[in-house]
Amino acid sequence: SLFRDAKGNIWVGTFNSGIDFVNRDALNKFTHYRHTSSATSLSNNKVLCILEDSSNRIWVGTDGGGLNLFDPETGQFKHFMHQNGNPNSICGNYVLTIQEDADHNLWIGTWGAGITVFNPDKNTYKHHSYTAGNLTGIRSPNIWDIYKDKQDNIWVSTYSEGVQLYDKKSDKFIRFAHDPSNASSLSNNTVNMVREDSKGNIWVGTSGGGLNLFDRSTNSFTHFTHDPGRNSISNDGILSVFEDSKGQIWIGTAIGLSQYDVTTKKFTNYYTKDGLPNNTVVGIMEDDSGDLWLSTFNGLSRFSPSTKKFNTFGINDGLQGFEFKKATSKTKSGEMYVCGVNGFNRFRPGNVDLKK
């Protein structure tokens, strides 16, 4: 049954799933996609990563439902699942990261099953599996993140085994890891992500070791860690790194948002006391107006670097939930995607009004 209240909000009564509330003001702002009984719906509601490839296709990785190809025009999904004994399928269904390389292959990183390099146009599959003792292969089956830099290098961030750089010519991986006897080695072996800024700097975010700046000429790392009482990074658990259009580096951490000023080399930090909806900042994007969109563990927040004000949106605004995952994506057309534990949202920032 349907009921529209005096404010124009819609209440939907279902046969066995209770009542859904549809906020009128949320309509046409945050479009929500999730798993349903339809065979062409999202395969799993726990969405971990989203990528728009060079052919403008939207790929969605899930926590147990494999890989999805999303058609924004129809709202339908095509599923790519692991099939036991079939090498022409992805290596695992727990897809944490997707990246496209220079040859238009998708690098699909999984939890527990390594990496599949999939070419959707040629329908080819190549697998990088973890093998104990193989020092030139991937050193862990648990892949947190895969990133392509401006030189088309592929960086693989692993759980507990450092970061690895793929050498295409030899088809081998070069490992950078923490060495207790070397102060300029990687600070921690659990690496959450690698990102490159406009100056070609490689930033490596770790879990517990802070932020690392990689020097390509010496293969050494400079560490940025939390130091109470100083202009340091807010926390040593690095969850997201983003460079804005003005060249400032923004870091989402387990406790707060940090802005790194590349000129002064100091950090400015923002916490819930400053307006953040939650101190855990897992994703950062910038819209065409220069505002940042922050995915947190308690809603999605629009932050103005010029006014230092936060504007937060939640379930009543049409979002999938309060808790978001680290993956965010901005398409070439300016649309944004954010994902979490109850599917994902697609929206255009210009259509979302600031709250009063």
Side-chain angles (χ1 to χ4, degrees):
S1 62
L2 296 175
F3 171 72
R4 183 186 297 271
D5 64 22
K7 295 182 179 180
N9 300 312
I10 300 171
W11 298 81
V12 184
T14 64
F15 178 70
N16 59 359
S17 300
I19 296 174
D20 286 336
F21 169 73
V22 182
N23 186 337
R24 180 195 61 179
D25 293 332
L27 296 176
N28 301 318
K29 293 182 179 179
F30 297 105
T31 307
H32 183 195
Y33 299 92
R34 57 186 170 184
H35 175 70
T36 69
S37 58
S38 170
T40 59
S41 75
L42 181 67
S43 64
N44 187 292
N45 275 336
K46 294 183 179 179
V47 178
L48 303 178
C49 53
I50 297 178
L51 170 79
E52 181 187 36
D53 70 15
S54 56
S55 297
N56 302 329
R57 291 173 294 203
I58 305 295
W59 299 91
V60 182
T62 70
D63 191 13
L67 180 68
N68 290 240
L69 174 59
F70 172 58
D71 185 341
E73 296 297 323
T74 65
Q76 295 184 339
F77 297 81
K78 180 180 179 181
H79 308 148
F80 297 80
M81 306 283 289
H82 171 67
Q83 300 169 14
N84 289 331
N86 183 5
N88 291 317
S89 67
I90 62 174
C91 61
N93 288 329
Y94 298 88
V95 179
L96 275 70
T97 179
I98 314 165
Q99 182 61 256
E100 184 180 18
D101 68 17
D103 298 317
H104 308 300
N105 299 305
L106 297 181
W107 285 64
I108 303 162
T110 71
W111 180 266
I115 298 170
T116 291
V117 182
F118 168 52
N119 189 297
D121 298 314
K122 300 176 182 177
N123 196 34
T124 57
Y125 295 79
K126 177 181 178 179
H127 306 288
H128 294 285
S129 302
Y130 167 71
T131 303
N134 181 4
L135 301 183
T136 60
I138 59 168
R139 300 292 288 270
S140 170
N142 303 315
I143 311 299
W144 274 135
D145 188 75
I146 300 175
Y147 179 73
K148 179 176 72 71
D149 67 20
K150 294 182 181 68
Q151 299 177 12
D152 296 329
N153 297 310
I154 294 292
W155 296 83
V156 178
S157 303
T158 73
Y159 177 82
S160 79
E161 290 294 336
V163 63
Q164 295 188 255
L165 177 61
Y166 178 66
D167 183 358
K168 182 179 177 181
K169 291 183 179 179
S170 65
D171 193 30
K172 295 178 180 179
F173 293 85
I174 302 165
R175 181 186 182 223
F176 300 96
H178 174 64
D179 180 355
S181 65
N182 181 0
S184 27
S185 69
L186 184 68
S187 63
N188 188 288
N189 279 335
T190 295
V191 179
N192 289 332
M193 91 285 297
V194 172
R195 294 294 182 268
E196 182 180 20
D197 66 22
S198 58
K199 297 180 176 62
N201 296 312
I202 295 293
W203 298 91
V204 183
T206 72
S207 181
L211 184 64
N212 290 238
L213 178 58
F214 178 62
D215 187 327
R216 298 175 193 256
S217 62
T218 62
N219 285 344
S220 61
F221 296 84
T222 301
H223 309 148
F224 299 87
T225 56
H226 179 63
D227 185 357
R230 296 179 179 271
N231 296 108
S232 67
I233 200 164
S234 64
N235 185 262
D236 290 337
I238 310 301
L239 304 176
S240 50
V241 177
F242 179 81
E243 182 185 23
D244 69 16
S245 56
K246 295 181 175 61
Q248 298 297 299
I249 306 297
W250 297 85
I251 306 102
T253 80
I255 305 180
L257 172 71
S258 291
Q259 177 190 7
Y260 177 67
D261 189 307
V262 295
T263 302
T264 65
K265 301 188 184 305
K266 293 182 179 180
F267 293 86
T268 301
N269 300 320
Y270 302 87
Y271 304 96
T272 52
K273 66 181 179 63
D274 302 302
L276 261 177
N278 184 272
N279 276 332
T280 303
V281 180
V282 294
I284 307 171
M285 294 182 288
E286 183 181 23
D287 64 24
D288 294 338
S289 299
D291 289 340
L292 301 181
W293 290 80
L294 312 172
S295 302
T296 77
F297 274 7
N298 189 30
L300 177 69
S301 193
R302 186 184 210 166
F303 173 66
S304 170
S306 58
T307 66
K308 314 300 182 187
K309 291 184 178 179
F310 295 86
N311 209 252
T312 299
F313 304 88
I315 292 176
N316 287 342
D317 300 295
L319 290 172
Q320 58 82 34
F322 286 113
E323 180 180 340
F324 288 86
K325 297 301 182 182
K326 69 175 183 177
T328 57
S329 180
K330 181 182 179 183
T331 68
K332 301 178 188 70
S333 70
E335 283 192 318
M336 289 184 173
Y337 287 79
V338 290
C339 59
V341 296
N342 189 28
F344 68 91
N345 290 101
R346 168 192 176 197
F347 66 98
R348 192 168 291 278
N351 293 342
V352 180
D353 297 328
L354 293 176
K355 292 184 175 181
K356 304 300 181 183

